[in-house]
Amino acid sequence: MQINDRFGAAAAFETVSLPDGTEAAVPTEHAAALYVNEQPAFRVVCTPELLPQLALGRLLTEGWIASAGEVEQIAVCAEGLKISVHLTHPLTARSAAAQEVSSCCTDNITLGSPVELQPLRGAPQLNLPPEWVDALAAAMSAGLPLYQATHAVHSCFVLHRGHIFCACEDIGRHNALDKAVGSVMLAGIPLHECILYTSGRVPVDMVRKAIRAGVPALVSKTMPTVQSLELAQEYGLQLLCGRKHPPTSSKSVGWHRFALTYFSSM
C-alpha cells in the first residue's frame, strides 16, 4: 500500500480567551472529503491528524473493504481537504443507493453510494485476562495529550497481546476508533489479536464497527445500549463496559462483562 500524505497534521487545538478573562485550550475541527476510486464516499469532520489512518479504518469498519490488501494507495492533498483512496478492484454496485447518514457526535456524513457493503461476520474468540483490562483502564485514566489539554475529545486504545500498541484521539469517538484501527492495519498487525478500548458510549454503530474491524473484544469506560448488547451477542463480540479506573481491591472492580449469556440469564 502506498501512502502519499502531503498534509501531515495541523494544530489540534487553539488557546482562546473566555468572557471572564481566562484562557482555555479548545479543539479544532477539520473537514475533509473521502473519495474511493474517485467516487465520493464520506465527509469527515475530525481532529486534523492521522488522515490516512482515519480513511483506512473508516473503510474497514463501515464495510467498504474487508482487508488492507484491497487498498492500493491513499493520498491526502496538501490542504488535507481531500483524501483519495484507490482500491485494487472496482467497487461492487448495490441494488439501491443509501441515504446520507449523519453521525450523532460530529458533522460526519456517509454519502449516498451504490457500494455493496461487506457483511458482518462472527467475531474471533480470544481470552481477555482482567489484567489486560486493568492496563487499558489505567492508560485511559492517565489521559492522552489532547485530552489533558482540552478535556473535550475522545480516545481509543489498542491492546495487542497484553501491551498497548497505540492510542488515538479525536473530537469524535467514531473517528478515534477508526484511526486506531487504521494504525493497526498499516502496521500489519492482525486485528483478531487486538482489543479496542473507547472512551465513548457504545451504541449499535460502535459495536458494528468493532465487529467489522474483526477484533474479539470492545472495552469502554461508559455503558452500552440494549440494542448494542443484542448485536454483540449475535456476533460473539466480547463487550466490557463501565470500566473507568484500575481496581485498588477486589471490591472495586467497577466494570461489567456482558457475556453471550447475558440475555438468557435475565
Side-chain angles (χ1 to χ4, degrees):
M1 182 192 310
Q2 181 181 354
I3 305 295
N4 182 17
D5 185 3
R6 297 173 57 201
F7 175 70
F13 70 91
E14 294 182 7
T15 301
V16 300
S17 298
L18 302 179
D20 62 1
T22 61
E23 294 185 336
V26 179
T28 58
E29 296 185 35
H30 178 81
L34 172 57
Y35 284 73
V36 179
N37 290 353
E38 299 304 326
Q39 174 178 300
F42 299 92
R43 177 180 182 268
V44 293
V45 178
C46 59
T47 300
E49 60 181 355
L50 301 179
L51 297 189
Q53 289 86 341
L54 172 59
L56 186 58
R58 178 63 52 87
L59 292 181
L60 181 72
T61 66
E62 292 298 326
W64 283 58
I65 61 173
S67 70
E70 298 178 49
V71 180
E72 185 176 79
Q73 181 188 62
I74 301 176
V76 184
C77 73
E79 294 77 22
L81 301 179
K82 182 179 180 180
I83 310 169
S84 298
V85 179
H86 292 275
L87 304 182
T88 59
H89 57 79
L91 293 170
T92 303
R94 63 186 298 183
S95 56
Q99 298 297 315
E100 292 188 355
V101 179
S102 298
S103 165
C104 62
C105 63
T106 63
D107 200 21
N108 287 345
I109 290 178
T110 300
L111 301 179
S113 170
V115 174
E116 186 67 36
L117 300 181
Q118 297 288 330
L120 293 180
R121 304 184 186 279
Q125 297 305 300
L126 180 70
N127 180 48
L128 185 54
E131 56 267 26
W132 288 11
V133 183
D134 295 342
L136 286 167
M140 184 70 78
S141 180
L144 294 173
L146 185 55
Y147 177 80
Q148 291 176 340
T150 66
H151 291 276
V153 295
H154 282 289
S155 307
C156 187
F157 288 77
V158 176
L159 191 79
H160 179 242
R161 295 181 177 178
H163 301 282
I164 294 177
F165 166 71
C166 70
C168 298
E169 296 184 277
D170 200 277
I171 55 174
R173 66 187 190 278
H174 304 85
N175 296 338
L177 185 147
D178 287 339
K179 286 180 177 180
V181 169
S183 297
V184 173
M185 296 171 72
L186 284 180
I189 295 175
L191 279 158
H192 67 262
E193 297 178 353
C194 297
I195 306 301
L196 297 179
Y197 183 16
T198 175
S199 62
R201 61 190 186 279
V202 190
V204 166
D205 57 356
M206 289 291 282
V207 168
R208 187 182 298 115
K209 277 181 173 289
I211 293 171
R212 281 208 168 104
V215 297
L218 176 63
V219 185
S220 173
K221 74 174 187 178
T222 60
M223 301 301 285
T225 64
V226 169
Q227 288 72 24
S228 64
L229 290 174
E230 292 173 339
L231 187 63
Q233 180 189 39
E234 181 179 356
Y235 289 94
L237 177 73
Q238 296 183 66
L239 195 55
L240 287 79
C241 297
R243 187 60 172 94
K244 296 183 179 180
H245 302 288
T248 55
S249 71
S250 59
K251 295 182 180 180
S252 60
V253 174
W255 56 276
H256 307 270
R257 180 189 293 271
F258 293 96
L260 297 183
T261 57
Y262 179 83
F263 286 95
S264 60
S265 64
M266 290 182 66

